[in-house]
Amino acid sequence: MNNDAAPIGAVGVVGAGAVGQATAAALVTSGLASRLLVTSRTSSRAAALVADLDDMRAALRGSTRPLTCHPADLMDCDAVVVALRASFTNTRATDVRMAGASANGALIAALAGKLRGYGGTVLMVTNPVDLMSRLFAEASGCRRVYGIGSALDTARYRAALATHLGAPLAAVNGQVIGEHGDHLVVCASSTTVNDEPADVPVPVIFNELCSRPGRISAGIGRTRYGPAGAVLETVHLALGLADGTTQLSTAHQGGWLGIPLRFTAGRPIPCLPQLTPSEATRFQAADAKLRTAYEALGPALQPILSTPERNLP
């Protein structure tokens, strides 16, 4: 798939909403791929986004060519970013991301059916991202599906802690795992600043992580650039363009939630830190919550999940 013009041949983006737009723009400016394939539930929306991205490419003299596509065309992509969102009104004050489980789940299940057996890397952005990642993986049979929620939470954590402590962002090393939601786990015990143990005000930082997305959405309608940044980082690691560790939602001991993965030449190895008893309890609670929520997605999605084709290599 690759050629000499860019490190990788093609990346697909499914969804032309706020996050899809920001992610597509980041990929075009990065120059990582020769082609960026965009598809959406509304073909005119995808075409408009591609035209706008092509103007960006021309202005920057970029090498990544944006194109509209059909879902079937994504099978030739090195990676596919899924940023679909159903139309629904979210009235929740807590567990906000869980509100879209059923509506978004129907879209994700349908997409997974069209991409059964896809052999590349899928990066899930659609919320609730831990559930949607598992749903896509089980319905499609794809072996490399990762949700970017904990990577985004970790970026927010490091930024918030750096601000609180008055430290350079680059000096902060810490991570967030578990659910991308109310059951996120701040790994305070393993967090360091300048390679020294950090005094993390967990309640303060936890509240900031929980409130930050709402403040962003209230101000500009939707979070977009943070998720795009997490996607771009993960593309580098998952496609072997760089080695390093990030926090992604993936299968773990029969469940599916955010854990640290160390990528070497594109191959991931789980690398959970040593957790304190309280951190371990929160992690187990996140796991239990997500398992229960996944089982409750409803019988409407089960025909897709139970088809034999989902186990295709």
Side-chain angles (χ1 to χ4, degrees):
M1 285 187 245
N2 296 356
N3 61 32
D4 294 334
I8 55 179
V11 174
V13 173
V14 184
V19 177
Q21 292 170 23
T23 299
L27 289 165
V28 167
T29 57
S30 73
L32 290 177
S34 295
R35 294 175 296 136
L36 177 73
L37 305 185
V38 179
T39 185
S40 175
R41 287 185 295 152
T42 306
S43 59
S44 60
R45 190 177 181 90
L49 174 57
V50 164
D52 201 18
L53 292 170
D54 203 39
D55 290 345
M56 172 189 276
R57 177 180 73 104
L60 297 176
R61 295 179 172 83
S63 60
T64 299
R65 184 183 179 193
L67 300 162
T68 58
C69 75
H70 298 290
D73 300 324
L74 299 171
M75 298 293 283
D76 292 329
C77 288
D78 298 82
V80 173
V81 181
V82 180
L84 286 172
R85 185 181 187 277
S87 297
F88 66 95
T89 301
N90 192 340
T91 59
R92 290 198 181 198
T94 60
D95 265 345
V96 173
R97 296 179 183 93
M98 282 292 178
S102 295
N104 288 337
L107 295 180
I108 297 304
L111 178 66
K114 295 176 181 178
L115 294 181
R116 283 196 178 101
Y118 170 65
T121 297
V122 176
L123 304 183
M124 181 62 62
V125 182
T126 303
N127 278 318
V129 69
D130 304 291
L131 301 190
M132 298 300 102
S133 301
R134 180 175 180 179
L135 173 60
F136 188 94
E138 295 193 357
S140 69
C142 298
R143 298 183 183 276
R144 288 174 59 88
V145 180
Y146 306 109
I148 61 94
S150 292
L152 176 56
D153 287 334
T154 293
R156 288 170 171 164
Y157 172 50
R158 292 172 179 169
L161 187 59
T163 298
H164 182 83
L165 298 177
L169 180 59
V172 178
N173 185 17
Q175 53 194 343
V176 175
I177 59 176
E179 181 199 13
H180 180 52
D182 293 1
H183 278 64
L184 61 83
V185 182
V186 175
C187 298
S189 63
S190 57
T191 298
T192 61
V193 176
N194 291 318
D195 297 323
E196 297 291 333
D199 184 11
V200 181
V202 175
V204 173
I205 298 298
F206 181 86
N207 288 337
E208 168 62 17
L209 295 180
C210 290
S211 64
R212 188 181 185 94
R215 296 201 310 272
I216 293 171
S217 295
I220 60 173
R222 189 83 60 200
T223 58
R224 57 195 77 194
Y225 299 109
V231 166
L232 199 58
E233 176 201 29
T234 306
V235 167
H236 277 89
L237 297 174
L239 297 189
L241 304 178
D243 293 342
T245 300
T246 191
Q247 300 72 31
L248 300 172
S249 188
T250 187
H252 177 69
Q253 296 183 353
W256 200 287
L257 74 173
I259 62 171
L261 294 175
R262 181 182 298 113
F263 284 89
T264 304
R267 296 184 178 183
I269 296 176
C271 52
L272 275 165
Q274 186 70 38
L275 302 176
T276 65
S278 62
E279 291 168 350
T281 296
R282 286 193 60 84
F283 186 69
Q284 292 161 6
D287 186 27
K289 173 188 175 182
L290 290 169
R291 290 175 192 247
T292 299
Y294 188 73
E295 292 173 1
L297 271 177
L301 302 182
Q302 294 312 307
I304 293 177
L305 294 177
S306 61
T307 53
E309 290 84 356
R310 72 183 179 89
N311 293 318
L312 286 172

